[in-house]
């Protein structure tokens, strides 16, 4: 049902001027050329015929080309299972016991580092025979707790039976972080700096400036932990360790004020500086600083390595760790204790609960996809503080026809991803109202505001009627309608802003000058002349077919508004060179630019259904290619009938 639904959304947009952006852009191109533009329902005759043909194709032929496999059976090895079971969570679920005397006793789930260090999601805590589903990050662990976790156990098994790190008794003084080549400096972020609003991780501070930030002073507040994820502000002062030549290059940036610290006492670094030794048999031996994940997993920043009496400050990320190394680190002593606590966890051999046992009246297991208006594409769950912000655990991500269940915190989200979420139903409902997500369960959907339905309908009629009668331009009428919708309370300003696809706006704003350039530089004329020379002798119908195929193929890799902007001046030039009416060619551009059926990336509607539908890339091509040919044939027959050459 989902792929036909997406294709129907594309076909339905062909029927009116405001149905899809290419229709508006093609009409505007006609206006700018001094011709009568297409009006509101000028698209309707061709649009209805194409839509009807598309529906008939999907009903009679297209549905037989859709995947005949049952996704649930195929991925479950032949046994029918629910969509949630497709993520095969049972294969990654296990019980862990917190023994008496464990260093984890008294720590919160967040402080235990089960997620950051081991990549495990705690799905439930079983205590005194009571099961607490979807525990909060601040849940305190107690001796005897049984933890139902989801994820790979390789990292936990790797820790077992080995001493990971040994905390030295010697206190690490700040002076040990300075040599003749390396110094400590204060870097003040000035107004207009590119660092403002960005985190150290986002700007790649360590690699960009070859310096390590030890602390951030913001007024009277001193920040010493989780520095990589703190958005910087103007006036922030960074205490950094760096090489002299790199510090000199930083002084050349006008928006950064670099100076020697008058005193480091205000930063109270002694509470965070430690010396830890890598013992024989440690799982860290042979790993580099990057692959050891000391920073990501345990919040430890390595300032230097003492090896055979020599001190190597600011080691490179690919520096391997050797047995006997003493690491000069910044972090919390309790994080070192967390390592020992993780080593003490006992793997329970009892069979874990079934997937159905993870839900109750208060706790649910649901899927969600990124909405077309999301701002989260390219960001990972760690950067989003997803667990803290939404109170939900991401147990798996469905992408490209398969489920990913490990290292989810570092996976950059993509449009089309389906996330399997576990948490309280109240938090799920809150997520359902977030415009970044579409939660695929009815209970999480925001209820329609029916008390404003008639008023919004009246405003829509007031917008469309003057446009239909030709009294007002659609752009002006639409803006007036939006203002009325906000002033009347039908929508909020935030909802109005969210509905604006800024990427599309900037794309069109950037492509319009390109379309003008095509005309003024003669490029459109050159392309049009070559096309006329190539197939013009075969008649305007062949030229129309060539334009259709060109636009349809371009729409698979370019947004369809951009295709309409680029091809409109070419179509107008071809019509002038051949001495035929431009209207059938411009109608062809509008129809073909929206014929993005061949791939999931051709249109947001296609991507939106890919994850929930379990579709593969080839599924779109198998169904979309014949549908595109049907639209081509129908357009070739009916466009000249309604818009003669």
């Amino acid at each position: 049902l989902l792929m036909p639904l997406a294709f129907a959304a594309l076909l339905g947009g062909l029927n009116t001027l405001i149905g899809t952006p290419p229709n508006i852009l093609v009409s505007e191109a006609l206006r700018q050329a001094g011709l009568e533009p297409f009006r509101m329902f000028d698209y309707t005759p061709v649009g209805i015929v194409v839509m009807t043909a598309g529906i008939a194709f999907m009903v009679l032929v297209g549905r037989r080309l859709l995947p005949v496999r049952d996704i649930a059976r195929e991925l479950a090895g032949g046994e029918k299972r629910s969509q949630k079971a497709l993520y095969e969570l049972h294969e990654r679920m296990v019980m862990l016991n917190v023994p008496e005397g464990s260093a984890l006793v008294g720590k919160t789930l967040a402080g235990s580092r089960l997620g950051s260090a081991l990549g495990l999601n705690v799905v439930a805590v079983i205590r005194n025979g009571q099961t607490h589903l979807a525990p909060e990050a601040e849940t305190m662990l107690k001796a005897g707790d049984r933890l139902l976790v989801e994820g790979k156990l390789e990292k936990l098994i790797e820790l077992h039976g080995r001493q990971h790190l040994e905390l030295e008794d010697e206190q690490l003084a700040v002076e040990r972080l300075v040599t003749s080549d390396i110094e400590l400096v204060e870097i003040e972020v000035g107004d207009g700096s590119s660092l403002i609003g960005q985190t150290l991780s986002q700007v790649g501070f360590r690699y960009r400036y070859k310096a390590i930030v030890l602390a951030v002073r913001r007024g009277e507040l001193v920040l010493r932990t989780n520095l990589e994820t703190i958005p910087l502000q103007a006036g922030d002062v960074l205490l950094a360790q760096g090489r002299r030549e790199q510090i000199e290059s930083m002084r050349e940036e006008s928006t950064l004020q670099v100076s020697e610290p008058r005193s480091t006492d205000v930063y109270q670094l002694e509470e965070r500086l430690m010396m830890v030794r890598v013992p024989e048999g440690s799982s860290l031996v042979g790993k580099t600083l990057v692959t050891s994940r000391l920073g990501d997993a345990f919040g430890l920043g390595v300032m230097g390595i003492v090896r055979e009496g020599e001190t190597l400050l600011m080691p490179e990320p690919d520096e391997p760790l050797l047995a006997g190394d003493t690491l000069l680190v910044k972090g919390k002593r309790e994080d070192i204790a967390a390592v020992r606590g993780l080593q003490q966890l006992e793997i329970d051999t009892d069979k874990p609960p079934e997937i159905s046992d993870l839900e109750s009246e208060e706790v649910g297991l649901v899927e969600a996809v990124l909405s077309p208006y999301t701002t989260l594409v390219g960001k990972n769950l760690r950067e989003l503080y997803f667990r803290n912000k939404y109170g939900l655990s991401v147990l798996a991500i469905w992408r490209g026809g398969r489920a990913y269940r490990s290292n989810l915190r570092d996976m950059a989200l993509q449009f089309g991803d389906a996330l399997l979420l576990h948490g309280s139903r109240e938090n799920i409902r809150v997520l359902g109202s977030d415009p970044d997500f579409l939660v695929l369960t009815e209970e999480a959907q925001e209820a329609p505001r029916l008390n404003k339905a008639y008023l919004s309908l009246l405003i829509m009629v007031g917008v469309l009627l003057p446009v239909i009668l030709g009294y007002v331009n659609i752009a002006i009428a639409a803006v007036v309608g939006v203002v009325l919708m906000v002033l009347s309370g039908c929508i909020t300003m935030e909802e109005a802003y969210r509905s604006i696809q800024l990427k599309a706006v900037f794309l069109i704003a950037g492509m319009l000058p390109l379309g003008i350039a095509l005309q003024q530089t003669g490029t459109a004329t050159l392309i049009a002349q070559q096309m006329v020379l190539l197939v013009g002798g075969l008649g305007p119908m062949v030229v129309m077919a060539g334009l259709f195929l060109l636009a349809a193929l371009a729409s698979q890799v370019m947004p369809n508004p951009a295709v309409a902007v680029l091809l409109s001046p070419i179509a107008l030039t071809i019509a002038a060179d051949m001495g035929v009416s431009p209207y059938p060619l411009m109608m062809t551009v509008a129809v073909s630019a929206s014929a993005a059926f061949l791939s999931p990336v051709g249109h947001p509607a296609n991507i939106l259904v890919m994850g929930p539908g379990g579709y593969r890339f080839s599924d779109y091509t198998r169904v979309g290619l014949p549908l595109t040919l049907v639209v081509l044939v129908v357009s070739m027959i009916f466009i000249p009938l309604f818009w003669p050459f």
Side-chain angles (χ1 to χ4, degrees), residues 12-20 23-24 39-44:
L14 301 173
N15 289 289
T16 64
L17 175 67
I18 60 174
T20 186
N23 291 2
I24 299 176
R39 293 170 297 178
M40 177 64 71
F41 295 112
D42 283 348
Y43 292 93
T44 305

Side-chain angles (χ1 to χ4, degrees), residues 268-348:
Q268 300 177 342
L269 289 177
E270 287 76 11
E271 300 177 8
R272 292 288 187 267
L273 296 178
M274 300 172 289
M275 299 176 65
V276 295
R277 192 172 65 86
V278 181
E280 291 283 351
S282 170
S283 60
L284 294 179
V285 173
K287 292 186 177 180
T288 65
L289 290 176
V290 171
T291 57
S292 70
R293 299 183 67 250
L294 286 172
D296 294 338
F298 301 105
L300 301 177
V302 179
M303 307 289 106
I305 300 176
V306 180
R307 180 179 295 160
E308 297 179 354
E310 298 290 332
T311 300
L312 172 64
L313 292 180
M314 296 188 64
E316 294 296 327
D318 58 355
E319 180 68 31
L321 297 175
L322 305 179
D325 282 350
T326 298
L327 310 182
L328 312 181
V329 301
K330 181 179 73 73
K332 296 181 180 179
R333 292 179 179 270
E334 51 264 37
D335 289 336
I336 302 295
V339 180
R340 294 198 300 272
L342 295 177
Q343 291 174 318
Q344 296 164 347
L345 285 172
E346 300 171 350
I347 301 176
D348 198 325

Side-chain angles (χ1 to χ4, degrees), residues 113 174 200 212-218 220-230 237 239 264-273 298-301 303 329-332 334-335:
R113 301 276 177 178
V174 178
L200 295 174
I212 300 174
V213 178
L214 305 181
V216 177
R217 178 161 55 86
R218 182 173 292 169
E220 299 297 322
L221 178 66
V222 176
L223 308 171
R224 294 170 296 178
T225 56
N226 299 319
L227 301 181
E228 292 291 319
T229 57
I230 298 172
V237 178
L239 180 67
T264 59
D265 294 342
V266 66
Y267 296 99
Q268 300 177 342
L269 289 177
E270 287 76 11
E271 300 177 8
R272 292 288 187 267
L273 296 178
F298 301 105
L300 301 177
M303 307 289 106
V329 301
K330 181 179 73 73
K332 296 181 180 179
E334 51 264 37
D335 289 336

Side-chain angles (χ1 to χ4, degrees), residues 511-551:
M511 297 303 289
L512 286 173
L514 183 57
I516 295 172
L518 284 175
Q519 291 177 304
Q520 294 186 350
T521 61
T523 305
T525 302
L526 179 62
I527 296 174
Q529 288 175 347
Q530 292 300 317
M531 194 166 183
V532 171
L533 287 174
L534 186 64
V535 295
L538 301 177
M541 291 290 288
V542 177
V543 173
M544 188 173 77
L547 266 179
F548 185 102
L549 293 174
L550 181 61

Side-chain angles (χ1 to χ4, degrees), residues 80-99:
K80 180 70 174 180
R81 286 195 279 180
S82 68
Q83 179 73 12
K84 296 167 187 174
L86 300 183
Y87 291 92
E88 299 177 338
L89 296 181
H90 64 287
E91 297 181 359
R92 297 285 175 85
M93 296 195 114
V94 71
M95 300 290 293
L96 301 178
N97 296 328
V98 181

